[in-house]
Amino acid sequence: MTPVTPRAGAVAVDCADLDAMAAFWGALLGMKTTGRDVDWIDLEPLGTGGPRLAFQLVPEHKTVKNRVHLDFDVPDIRAAGERAAALGATPASEPMGDPATPYQVWRDPEGNEFCFCTAR
């Protein structure tokens, strides 16, 4: 039998408010909604050929730290953070790491962690 190698089709984020989360992430990343169901919204792929960013409605709210999170390369973590904050994100840390290439942890409006990393 030929082995099947999986390909990432979507990165799914559990959420309590589909519309708010799709609006936040769509605005932050400049991505449009490409599909919608009662309990699911797809945004455009994360980069050319990448997986879709998707949001799945769940009944419970986030209570602990994410085990998986997204890292976004940006030229300036401070400017990216200011924009994210204006859209409803909150900082989860101060900038850290190598001072020449710092990163910072943020939380989306429902508390899911993501990072802005200095593009190398």
Side-chain angles (χ1 to χ4, degrees):
M1 179 187 319
T2 304
V4 175
T5 303
R7 179 184 161 279
V11 173
V13 178
D14 289 351
C15 63
D17 187 332
L18 284 174
D19 292 319
M21 290 294 282
F24 169 79
W25 285 99
L28 182 68
L29 301 175
M31 296 165 57
K32 296 176 184 165
T33 298
T34 59
R36 183 182 183 100
D37 201 344
V38 173
D39 59 357
W40 188 276
I41 292 179
D42 285 328
L43 295 185
E44 296 174 308
L46 291 163
T48 304
R52 299 176 311 283
L53 183 57
F55 302 92
Q56 180 175 358
L57 187 63
V58 297
E60 70 278 357
H61 290 274
K62 181 181 175 300
T63 57
V64 298
K65 184 182 179 306
N66 295 20
R67 295 294 303 258
V68 175
H69 69 268
L70 298 169
D71 285 352
F72 298 102
D73 290 342
V74 294
D76 180 343
I77 64 167
R78 181 184 162 132
E82 288 173 358
R83 183 163 175 270
L87 293 169
T90 55
S93 76
E94 294 295 320
M96 60 183 115
D98 182 340
T101 56
Y103 68 94
Q104 186 171 10
V105 181
W106 284 81
R107 290 189 184 99
D108 73 12
E110 289 198 9
N112 299 298
E113 294 90 1
F114 65 95
C115 293
F116 286 133
C117 304
T118 303
R120 299 176 196 238

